[in-house]
Amino acid sequence: MRKPLMAGNWKMNKTAGEAVSMLKALKPEVADVNDVEILLCPVFTALYAANEEIKGSNINLGAQNLFWQPKGAFTGEISPSMVKDVGCSYVIIGHSERRQYFGETDETVNKKVIAAFAAGLIPVACVGETLKEREENVTFEVIEKQIRGGLAGLNAEQASSLVIAYEPVWAIGTGKTATPAQAQEVHAFIRKLYSEIYKDAADKVRILYGGSVNPQNVSELMKQDDIDGGLVGGASLEADSFAKLVKYAK
Ligand code: PEP
């Protein structure tokens, strides 16, 4: 059985103080949840304070990016072991905003995924098609290229513990959600493709849906066979709405 994972991507929002306030409010609201894994991914500068705040709670911490080199002359970058050292267990890799604005490619995603695992982090690797690609009917080709390129070279254990986030770019931050059926179709495609590459790991890998998930649409999405959780931007920023997402089945 795959344990559902509800992950919040705060993007470039919240100072350290604001992150701590949100976490203080969230902790009691989700304290009784043990059937869903909870993950929040603040900005780098809030990770230390956030980690202090979540100690002893059921909330996990993740970063939104890393660089694959271990250390050295790479001004402005953060290494996998630094991300691990500040208390993260997960890291988002290859978010569409990073692909769009910061030139990330399947090749850099792959380097980051491998480096994250080597540092003891679990990557949440993002894939997804643009609106143009969906309209041109090349969604499956695009996703296949991202998966084969970005997720190559994993061993069996890594392939099972990896988290994949399917985020149609046209649904991110737009208020436009993929229908549960549209999302399920791509999730099933991803799992089948993954089984061709990594065999048994396909039953274990968690595939999150991302793109305007909110407390109103979460439960229908979570009912789909191959949707194992959400990667949520806007609706993860406030404790109330994120708690509702975590408790989608209640
Ligand atoms: C995201 O940040 O990955 C995301 C899906 O954002 P939103 O939920 O705001 O669409």
Side-chain angles (χ1 to χ4, degrees), residues 218-240:
V218 66
S219 67
E220 278 309 307
L221 287 162
M222 291 301 294
K223 277 183 196 151
Q224 306 303 308
D225 285 351
D226 291 294
I227 299 185
D228 305 310
L231 179 56
V232 186
S236 73
L237 289 168
E238 302 302 325
D240 264 8

Side-chain angles (χ1 to χ4, degrees), residues 90-141:
Y90 288 86
V91 57
I92 298 171
I93 292 178
H95 190 280
S96 65
E97 288 153 13
R98 297 216 53 87
R99 292 178 189 254
Q100 192 180 346
Y101 304 129
F102 304 100
E104 298 216 1
T105 62
D106 296 336
E107 195 186 338
T108 62
V109 167
N110 192 234
K111 286 184 175 171
K112 291 182 178 194
V113 165
I114 302 278
F117 272 127
L121 295 159
I122 297 179
V124 178
C126 303
V127 298
E129 81 286 4
T130 62
L131 183 59
K132 186 165 172 279
E133 290 162 342
R134 177 157 282 259
E135 285 172 352
E136 286 170 356
N137 282 321
V138 291
T139 297
F140 294 132
E141 282 100 306

Side-chain angles (χ1 to χ4, degrees), residues 9 11 95 167 171-173 210-213 231-234:
N9 170 17
K11 312 194 185 192
H95 190 280
E167 301 203 300
I172 298 178
S212 300
V213 176
L231 179 56
V232 186

